[in-house]
Amino acid sequence: MSFKKYLLTGLLVWLPLAVTIWVLLWLMGLLDGVFQGVVTGLQAISPETDTAFWEQLKHIPGLGPVLVFAGLLLTGAMVSNVAGRWWLGQWERLLTRIPVFKSIYNSVKKVSDTLFSSNGNAFRTALLVQYPRAGSWTIAFQTGSPSGEVAGHLGDDFVSVYVPTTPNPTSGFFLMLPRADVIELKMSVDEALTYVISMGSVAPGVVTPPTHP
């Protein structure tokens, strides 16, 4: 019995670290692949005398994530001023004139602006909702409120929610529910996601107010 107990205890110690390292290595491999694709494209249009340089550049491990991070940081700094925002507007106007491409670009831009904009409310509130039937409760995240034609049919007292699946929260269901049918939780979004991913085994800590004599 002690052997099994020690084995499970060791597994609980090392499994989170192993999974974390695996995810980071997968992400680095993905970014390196994107970087190598860009370098291959630049190599194709460069003189043959530069082939050795591009080949050496492609085989530097970890260079992709570093350059992607630096590029994101530099882009953010550039578009934070008036001149940068003007150039960004010109670039977006050019992209939105390309057939087919503009439909995909506009859709992705609207979603990214909603999720990552500091002024947006998407995924900033954890909710408790009844799903898939009355009496069954699960964690959801508020993504906004119905608008346009949908709001005209439903009215103003509805909220848009995303119900993630377990243990993969990147897939889920989009629902529009009456505001009276959802319960807003005080837990953070990170705590709620952990609760979902762990299939309810890692419950968020309950903060109790201090008692005064």
Side-chain angles (χ1 to χ4, degrees):
M1 294 296 293
S2 296
F3 176 79
K4 181 179 179 181
K5 177 182 177 182
Y6 294 155
L7 183 62
L8 290 176
T9 302
L11 181 64
L12 291 175
V13 170
W14 288 105
L15 183 60
L17 178 62
V19 173
T20 302
I21 294 175
W22 177 79
V23 171
L24 291 177
L25 290 176
W26 173 81
L27 182 60
M28 289 183 63
L30 178 65
L31 294 177
D32 272 335
V34 173
F35 171 70
Q36 289 180 8
V38 173
V39 171
T40 301
L42 293 174
Q43 183 179 355
I45 61 176
S46 299
E48 294 184 1
T49 53
D50 297 336
T51 300
F53 168 76
W54 293 117
E55 287 296 328
Q56 291 178 355
L57 200 63
K58 286 194 294 185
H59 292 88
I60 299 178
L63 185 59
V66 172
L67 292 181
V68 169
F69 177 79
L72 292 175
L73 194 63
L74 180 62
T75 303
M78 290 177 59
V79 300
S80 296
N81 55 61
V82 177
R85 286 193 293 270
W86 183 84
W87 281 109
L88 178 62
Q90 301 301 315
W91 173 252
E92 290 183 344
R93 272 193 285 272
L94 175 64
L95 294 179
T96 53
R97 292 178 180 174
I98 304 175
V100 181
F101 183 88
K102 65 179 181 181
S103 301
I104 302 174
Y105 179 81
N106 287 334
S107 300
V108 174
K109 180 171 174 55
K110 288 179 181 178
V111 172
S112 61
D113 287 346
T114 301
L115 294 179
F116 300 112
S117 173
S118 58
N119 298 324
N121 295 319
F123 290 90
R124 284 175 169 79
T125 304
L127 305 172
L128 197 60
V129 302
Q130 296 189 76
Y131 183 84
R133 61 177 179 83
S136 298
W137 294 86
T138 189
I139 300 293
F141 300 96
Q142 183 173 348
T143 60
S145 301
S147 58
E149 182 182 357
V150 175
H153 289 285
L154 297 179
D156 298 330
D157 205 22
F158 276 75
V159 292
S160 301
V161 303
Y162 173 72
V163 180
T165 56
T166 302
N168 178 19
T170 59
S171 64
F173 304 92
F174 167 64
L175 305 172
M176 288 171 282
L177 302 173
R179 192 177 300 272
D181 291 348
V182 305
I183 300 175
E184 185 172 331
L185 300 174
K186 294 183 179 179
M187 71 176 70
S188 66
V189 172
D190 289 340
E191 290 176 328
L193 277 174
T194 302
Y195 198 34
V196 171
I197 295 172
S198 67
M199 295 174 283
S201 61
V202 181
V206 179
V207 179
T208 56
T211 58
H212 300 281

